[in-house]
Amino acid sequence: MIRQAILIDQNSISFVEGVVRRGRVDLKAFVRLPKGKFGEGTSQAPEEFGVLLRDELQRLGWRPSLATVILSSPSIIDRSLTLPRTPQAALPAVVQLQVEAMPMLKFQNPVCDFSVHRSDRQTMDLGVAITSESTVKQVVSRLGQSGFGVQSVVSVAHTMLSAIQHIPG
């Protein structure tokens, strides 16, 4: 199965494509492009970013498809939460309330995702990735204009933890 991932950091956008077979990933392609090449941070219309990116990827022979987007700081932050044991159905609402109550959270309209790292009879330890709703919408829109479908948006820390869990002992 072919998988694509896009890492967006402060200065660049990296595209990785690999083939996943029996728990092994074979790297097929890697492209790293500076954000400045696409007028990022200028008064350029957001649509122009997507079009310029699509044209550059086509020039490099890249075929966009469904991808996982990986955001790094400062676009996304990771936090750990310890909560009283909470029913699975209530966790999304409880985590969202905890995120909204965080002091000095720099995101307007924060959105989050979480994973349970440890759970016992009384408490739960969670990893939480937090960003703004506008960041997610902007990323999905710009990449959509470039020909990508966005499967999920995750943080660098989440990606690294997932990768470590799949390294053979």
Side-chain angles (χ1 to χ4, degrees):
M1 173 182 287
I2 295 176
R3 300 283 182 147
Q4 290 185 341
I6 304 165
L7 170 64
I8 301 174
D9 63 31
Q10 285 182 309
N11 303 310
S12 63
I13 306 171
S14 301
F15 301 87
V16 177
E17 184 173 85
V19 177
V20 180
R21 282 189 213 115
R22 293 182 222 125
R24 177 186 160 122
V25 178
D26 294 319
L27 186 64
K28 284 184 59 178
F30 177 81
V31 176
R32 186 172 191 177
L33 303 171
K35 276 186 174 179
K37 185 172 190 167
F38 308 103
E40 178 79 1
T42 67
S43 59
Q44 167 197 64
E47 305 82 44
E48 290 179 48
F49 179 93
V51 171
L52 290 170
L53 180 58
R54 181 196 63 218
D55 292 347
E56 180 67 10
L57 290 172
Q58 284 177 348
R59 186 184 73 73
L60 295 169
W62 189 275
R63 294 185 138 161
S65 67
L66 192 61
T68 296
V69 176
I70 306 164
L71 296 177
S72 71
S73 180
S75 298
I76 196 165
I77 57 173
D78 290 288
R79 293 289 184 261
S80 296
L81 284 178
T82 299
L83 298 174
R85 182 122 172 106
T86 305
Q88 200 67 18
L91 266 177
V94 170
V95 170
Q96 184 68 34
L97 284 172
Q98 290 291 318
V99 166
E100 290 172 3
M102 286 182 177
M104 300 174 55
L105 187 64
K106 63 180 180 172
F107 298 122
Q108 263 189 325
N109 298 324
V111 293
C112 63
D113 195 12
F114 65 91
S115 57
V116 178
H117 294 288
R118 188 192 62 77
S119 179
D120 60 31
R121 291 182 181 193
Q122 296 181 349
T123 62
M124 305 175 81
D125 292 333
L126 290 82
V128 182
I130 308 161
T131 190
S132 69
E133 183 179 7
S134 63
T135 296
V136 172
K137 285 181 178 179
Q138 181 185 53
V139 165
V140 170
S141 173
R142 287 180 172 183
L143 291 173
Q145 293 159 2
S146 302
F148 286 96
V150 175
Q151 179 177 9
S152 61
V153 178
V154 298
S155 71
V156 170
H158 172 80
T159 304
M160 289 173 41
L161 287 171
S162 293
I164 288 171
Q165 291 172 351
H166 293 93
I167 295 174

